[in-house]
Amino acid sequence: MTITKSITLDCRETEGSILASATSGINVNGANIVVVVRGLSINGAGTTPGTYGIHIFQAQSVTVEDSYIFGFGSGAGRGISVDSTSSNVQLFVNNTTINNNTGGGIVLQPSSGFSAGADLNNVRLLGNGITGLALSTASGATALSATMTNSEIAGGGVTGASGVVAKAPTGTATIVIKSSSISGNPVYGINSNGAGAAVRVGDTAITNNGTALNAVNSGKLESFGDNDVTGNSNLGAFTGTVPHS
């Protein structure tokens, strides 16, 4: 399915599903459009697995609520991917499960000169490969941001998986995590990489990961001072603390 105009797909009072074999479940590609997806199951586990659950090229905003996105394993293999090429995009995800996608749960990596933001609440990113949530300016994006509250990222021991990744060799990638849990990721619980990367964490359990906290290449990884960081193979360290506002 390709969406090029503003639309609301609301399947909460019925059963709505998309089976995406060897392709994307939903492509969003319209200048300044507002898209809302509610109550939809997007299944990539066909004979040949799908490539993206929701693939966003351009839009003003995309909202995903009360939905289930799973089983994408061909190509990029991502649950939701913001790869905008001609607009700045805002993503909202609420009460949604995204699991068993080989290339990541939610990934923001727009093209050069563009920005994107994400607001995640009550989101479950489970058993995804590479990363649960990732923001990267590696393709030249200028500014990326995400806020995650009341959510869970569980790697389920998937080889090579990290929970949260902020990568900003140029530009900025900022993530704020509150009242959530990050567990079972064999590589990193949280990885902040690059001078423009900053992850701030409060009231969050970071448990049973390979390395809980990893900040490299001048990346910032800061605590509000009330986290539970236990049971990890390696602890790592926060780079600083920030006060509650």
Side-chain angles (χ1 to χ4, degrees), residues 37-40 42 54 63-70 79-80 92-99 106 120-126 150-152:
V37 175
R38 295 193 182 108
L40 194 60
I42 305 175
I54 299 177
T63 299
V64 182
E65 297 180 332
D66 306 323
S67 294
Y68 183 30
I69 301 170
F70 64 100
I80 299 176
F92 302 93
V93 186
N94 182 59
N95 191 35
T96 291
T97 298
I98 301 173
N99 73 288
I106 297 175
L120 317 178
N121 180 61
N122 192 23
V123 174
R124 296 158 296 280
L125 302 171
L126 311 175
N150 303 311
S151 295
E152 176 186 5

Short mmCIF file of all heavy atoms in Angstrom, two decimals, residues 37-40 42 54 63-70 79-80 92-99 106 120-126 150-152:
data_model
loop_
_atom_site.label_atom_id
_atom_site.label_comp_id
_atom_site.label_asym_id
_atom_site.label_seq_id
_atom_site.Cartn_x
_atom_site.Cartn_y
_atom_site.Cartn_z
N VAL A 37 -2.62 5.74 11.43
CA VAL A 37 -2.87 4.30 11.31
C VAL A 37 -3.26 3.79 12.69
O VAL A 37 -2.49 3.92 13.64
CB VAL A 37 -1.62 3.55 10.79
CG1 VAL A 37 -1.85 2.05 10.79
CG2 VAL A 37 -1.23 4.05 9.41
N ARG A 38 -4.46 3.18 12.79
CA ARG A 38 -4.93 2.69 14.09
C ARG A 38 -5.45 1.26 13.95
O ARG A 38 -6.19 0.93 13.02
CB ARG A 38 -6.06 3.57 14.63
CG ARG A 38 -5.67 4.99 14.97
CD ARG A 38 -6.78 5.65 15.78
NE ARG A 38 -6.45 7.05 16.07
CZ ARG A 38 -7.06 8.10 15.51
NH1 ARG A 38 -8.02 7.89 14.63
NH2 ARG A 38 -6.72 9.32 15.83
N GLY A 39 -5.07 0.44 14.93
CA GLY A 39 -5.64 -0.90 15.02
C GLY A 39 -5.32 -1.82 13.88
O GLY A 39 -6.12 -2.70 13.53
N LEU A 40 -4.14 -1.68 13.30
CA LEU A 40 -3.77 -2.45 12.11
C LEU A 40 -2.66 -3.44 12.45
O LEU A 40 -1.70 -3.11 13.15
CB LEU A 40 -3.32 -1.50 11.01
CG LEU A 40 -3.20 -2.07 9.58
CD1 LEU A 40 -4.53 -2.61 9.10
CD2 LEU A 40 -2.69 -0.99 8.64
N ILE A 42 0.33 -5.45 10.73
CA ILE A 42 1.14 -5.42 9.50
C ILE A 42 2.17 -6.54 9.61
O ILE A 42 3.09 -6.50 10.43
CB ILE A 42 1.83 -4.06 9.32
CG1 ILE A 42 0.79 -2.92 9.36
CG2 ILE A 42 2.60 -4.01 8.01
CD1 ILE A 42 1.38 -1.53 9.31
N ILE A 54 6.30 0.00 7.95
CA ILE A 54 5.90 1.33 7.47
C ILE A 54 7.16 2.07 7.05
O ILE A 54 8.07 2.26 7.85
CB ILE A 54 5.15 2.12 8.56
CG1 ILE A 54 3.88 1.38 8.98
CG2 ILE A 54 4.81 3.52 8.05
CD1 ILE A 54 3.12 2.05 10.11
N THR A 63 1.11 9.02 12.46
CA THR A 63 0.74 8.52 13.78
C THR A 63 0.36 7.05 13.66
O THR A 63 -0.45 6.68 12.79
CB THR A 63 -0.45 9.32 14.34
OG1 THR A 63 -0.07 10.69 14.49
CG2 THR A 63 -0.88 8.77 15.71
N VAL A 64 0.93 6.23 14.54
CA VAL A 64 0.63 4.79 14.57
C VAL A 64 0.16 4.46 15.98
O VAL A 64 0.90 4.65 16.95
CB VAL A 64 1.86 3.95 14.21
CG1 VAL A 64 1.52 2.46 14.20
CG2 VAL A 64 2.44 4.38 12.86
N GLU A 65 -1.07 3.94 16.09
CA GLU A 65 -1.66 3.65 17.40
C GLU A 65 -2.30 2.26 17.40
O GLU A 65 -2.87 1.83 16.39
CB GLU A 65 -2.73 4.68 17.75
CG GLU A 65 -2.21 6.10 17.90
CD GLU A 65 -3.30 7.09 18.25
OE1 GLU A 65 -4.47 6.84 17.88
OE2 GLU A 65 -2.98 8.09 18.90
N ASP A 66 -2.19 1.59 18.55
CA ASP A 66 -2.91 0.33 18.77
C ASP A 66 -2.66 -0.67 17.64
O ASP A 66 -3.57 -1.38 17.19
CB ASP A 66 -4.42 0.59 18.88
CG ASP A 66 -4.75 1.63 19.95
OD1 ASP A 66 -4.07 1.63 20.99
OD2 ASP A 66 -5.67 2.44 19.72
N SER A 67 -1.41 -0.76 17.21
CA SER A 67 -1.09 -1.59 16.05
C SER A 67 0.00 -2.62 16.38
O SER A 67 0.61 -2.58 17.45
CB SER A 67 -0.67 -0.72 14.87
OG SER A 67 -1.75 0.07 14.41
N TYR A 68 0.22 -3.52 15.44
CA TYR A 68 1.17 -4.63 15.62
C TYR A 68 1.93 -4.78 14.31
O TYR A 68 1.34 -5.02 13.25
CB TYR A 68 0.40 -5.89 15.97
CG TYR A 68 1.21 -7.12 16.25
CD1 TYR A 68 2.50 -7.06 16.78
CD2 TYR A 68 0.68 -8.40 16.00
CE1 TYR A 68 3.22 -8.20 17.04
CE2 TYR A 68 1.39 -9.54 16.26
CZ TYR A 68 2.67 -9.45 16.78
OH TYR A 68 3.40 -10.60 17.05
N ILE A 69 3.25 -4.63 14.36
CA ILE A 69 4.10 -4.69 13.17
C ILE A 69 5.17 -5.74 13.42
O ILE A 69 5.95 -5.62 14.38
CB ILE A 69 4.75 -3.32 12.88
CG1 ILE A 69 3.66 -2.24 12.68
CG2 ILE A 69 5.65 -3.40 11.65
CD1 ILE A 69 4.21 -0.83 12.63
N PHE A 70 5.26 -6.75 12.57
CA PHE A 70 6.16 -7.86 12.90
C PHE A 70 6.59 -8.65 11.66
O PHE A 70 5.94 -8.63 10.62
CB PHE A 70 5.47 -8.81 13.88
CG PHE A 70 4.24 -9.50 13.31
CD1 PHE A 70 4.31 -10.80 12.85
CD2 PHE A 70 3.02 -8.84 13.24
CE1 PHE A 70 3.18 -11.43 12.33
CE2 PHE A 70 1.89 -9.46 12.73
CZ PHE A 70 1.97 -10.76 12.27
N GLY A 79 10.78 -2.35 11.20
CA GLY A 79 9.38 -2.18 11.54
C GLY A 79 8.85 -0.86 11.02
O GLY A 79 7.91 -0.82 10.20
N ILE A 80 9.39 0.26 11.51
CA ILE A 80 9.07 1.60 11.00
C ILE A 80 10.38 2.29 10.66
O ILE A 80 11.30 2.32 11.49
CB ILE A 80 8.30 2.44 12.03
CG1 ILE A 80 6.96 1.78 12.40
CG2 ILE A 80 8.05 3.84 11.50
CD1 ILE A 80 6.19 2.51 13.48
N PHE A 92 4.62 9.72 15.51
CA PHE A 92 4.02 9.47 16.81
C PHE A 92 3.61 8.00 16.86
O PHE A 92 2.88 7.52 15.98
CB PHE A 92 2.78 10.34 17.01
CG PHE A 92 3.03 11.82 16.91
CD1 PHE A 92 2.87 12.48 15.69
CD2 PHE A 92 3.45 12.55 18.01
CE1 PHE A 92 3.11 13.85 15.58
CE2 PHE A 92 3.69 13.92 17.92
CZ PHE A 92 3.52 14.56 16.71
N VAL A 93 4.05 7.29 17.91
CA VAL A 93 3.70 5.88 18.05
C VAL A 93 3.18 5.66 19.47
O VAL A 93 3.86 6.01 20.44
CB VAL A 93 4.90 4.95 17.77
CG1 VAL A 93 4.44 3.48 17.79
CG2 VAL A 93 5.55 5.28 16.44
N ASN A 94 1.97 5.09 19.57
CA ASN A 94 1.35 4.90 20.87
C ASN A 94 0.72 3.51 20.95
O ASN A 94 0.05 3.06 20.01
CB ASN A 94 0.27 5.97 21.10
CG ASN A 94 -0.39 5.85 22.46
OD1 ASN A 94 0.26 5.91 23.49
ND2 ASN A 94 -1.70 5.66 22.45
N ASN A 95 0.94 2.84 22.08
CA ASN A 95 0.33 1.53 22.34
C ASN A 95 0.47 0.59 21.15
O ASN A 95 -0.51 0.04 20.63
CB ASN A 95 -1.15 1.69 22.72
CG ASN A 95 -1.73 0.39 23.25
OD1 ASN A 95 -1.04 -0.38 23.92
ND2 ASN A 95 -2.99 0.13 22.95
N THR A 96 1.69 0.37 20.75
CA THR A 96 1.98 -0.44 19.56
C THR A 96 3.14 -1.39 19.86
O THR A 96 4.09 -1.03 20.55
CB THR A 96 2.31 0.47 18.37
OG1 THR A 96 1.11 1.16 17.97
CG2 THR A 96 2.88 -0.29 17.19
N THR A 97 3.04 -2.62 19.34
CA THR A 97 4.10 -3.62 19.47
C THR A 97 4.78 -3.80 18.12
O THR A 97 4.11 -3.99 17.09
CB THR A 97 3.54 -4.97 19.94
OG1 THR A 97 2.96 -4.81 21.24
CG2 THR A 97 4.64 -6.02 20.01
N ILE A 98 6.11 -3.73 18.14
CA ILE A 98 6.92 -3.92 16.93
C ILE A 98 7.95 -4.98 17.26
O ILE A 98 8.83 -4.76 18.09
CB ILE A 98 7.58 -2.60 16.51
CG1 ILE A 98 6.52 -1.53 16.23
CG2 ILE A 98 8.47 -2.80 15.28
CD1 ILE A 98 7.08 -0.14 15.98
N ASN A 99 7.85 -6.15 16.64
CA ASN A 99 8.74 -7.24 17.06
C ASN A 99 9.18 -8.13 15.89
O ASN A 99 8.54 -8.20 14.85
CB ASN A 99 8.09 -8.08 18.16
CG ASN A 99 6.99 -8.97 17.68
OD1 ASN A 99 5.92 -8.47 17.34
ND2 ASN A 99 7.22 -10.27 17.63
N ILE A 106 12.37 0.66 15.23
CA ILE A 106 12.09 2.00 14.71
C ILE A 106 13.42 2.67 14.39
O ILE A 106 14.29 2.76 15.26
CB ILE A 106 11.30 2.85 15.71
CG1 ILE A 106 9.93 2.22 15.98
CG2 ILE A 106 11.15 4.28 15.21
CD1 ILE A 106 9.12 2.94 17.05
N LEU A 120 7.31 8.41 21.35
CA LEU A 120 6.88 7.03 21.57
C LEU A 120 6.33 6.90 22.98
O LEU A 120 7.00 7.27 23.96
CB LEU A 120 8.06 6.06 21.40
CG LEU A 120 9.00 6.29 20.21
CD1 LEU A 120 10.11 5.26 20.22
CD2 LEU A 120 8.23 6.26 18.90
N ASN A 121 5.13 6.35 23.10
CA ASN A 121 4.52 6.12 24.41
C ASN A 121 3.85 4.76 24.43
O ASN A 121 3.08 4.42 23.52
CB ASN A 121 3.49 7.22 24.72
CG ASN A 121 2.85 7.00 26.09
OD1 ASN A 121 3.52 7.00 27.11
ND2 ASN A 121 1.54 6.80 26.10
N ASN A 122 4.16 3.99 25.47
CA ASN A 122 3.59 2.65 25.60
C ASN A 122 3.86 1.82 24.35
O ASN A 122 2.96 1.21 23.76
CB ASN A 122 2.09 2.72 25.89
CG ASN A 122 1.52 1.38 26.33
OD1 ASN A 122 2.25 0.51 26.81
ND2 ASN A 122 0.23 1.20 26.15
N VAL A 123 5.12 1.80 23.97
CA VAL A 123 5.56 1.07 22.79
C VAL A 123 6.43 -0.10 23.23
O VAL A 123 7.27 0.03 24.12
CB VAL A 123 6.34 2.00 21.83
CG1 VAL A 123 6.93 1.22 20.67
CG2 VAL A 123 5.42 3.10 21.31
N ARG A 124 6.24 -1.24 22.58
CA ARG A 124 7.02 -2.44 22.88
C ARG A 124 7.84 -2.81 21.64
O ARG A 124 7.27 -3.17 20.61
CB ARG A 124 6.09 -3.58 23.30
CG ARG A 124 5.34 -3.26 24.60
CD ARG A 124 4.09 -4.07 24.78
NE ARG A 124 3.08 -3.77 23.76
CZ ARG A 124 2.28 -2.71 23.81
NH1 ARG A 124 2.37 -1.83 24.81
NH2 ARG A 124 1.39 -2.50 22.84
N LEU A 125 9.17 -2.72 21.77
CA LEU A 125 10.09 -3.07 20.69
C LEU A 125 10.80 -4.35 21.13
O LEU A 125 11.70 -4.32 21.97
CB LEU A 125 11.08 -1.93 20.46
CG LEU A 125 10.45 -0.57 20.11
CD1 LEU A 125 11.49 0.54 20.13
CD2 LEU A 125 9.73 -0.62 18.78
N LEU A 126 10.39 -5.48 20.57
CA LEU A 126 10.76 -6.78 21.12
C LEU A 126 11.44 -7.66 20.07
O LEU A 126 10.91 -7.86 18.97
CB LEU A 126 9.52 -7.51 21.64
CG LEU A 126 8.57 -6.70 22.56
CD1 LEU A 126 7.34 -7.53 22.89
CD2 LEU A 126 9.30 -6.26 23.81
N ASN A 150 7.23 5.19 29.14
CA ASN A 150 6.37 4.04 29.47
C ASN A 150 6.49 2.93 28.43
O ASN A 150 5.48 2.31 28.04
CB ASN A 150 4.91 4.48 29.57
CG ASN A 150 4.71 5.59 30.58
OD1 ASN A 150 5.18 5.50 31.71
ND2 ASN A 150 4.02 6.65 30.18
N SER A 151 7.70 2.65 28.01
CA SER A 151 7.91 1.71 26.91
C SER A 151 8.92 0.65 27.27
O SER A 151 9.62 0.73 28.29
CB SER A 151 8.35 2.48 25.65
OG SER A 151 7.32 3.35 25.20
N GLU A 152 9.02 -0.36 26.42
CA GLU A 152 9.91 -1.49 26.66
C GLU A 152 10.69 -1.81 25.40
O GLU A 152 10.12 -1.93 24.32
CB GLU A 152 9.10 -2.72 27.08
CG GLU A 152 9.91 -3.98 27.27
CD GLU A 152 9.07 -5.21 27.55
OE1 GLU A 152 7.82 -5.10 27.50
OE2 GLU A 152 9.67 -6.27 27.79
#
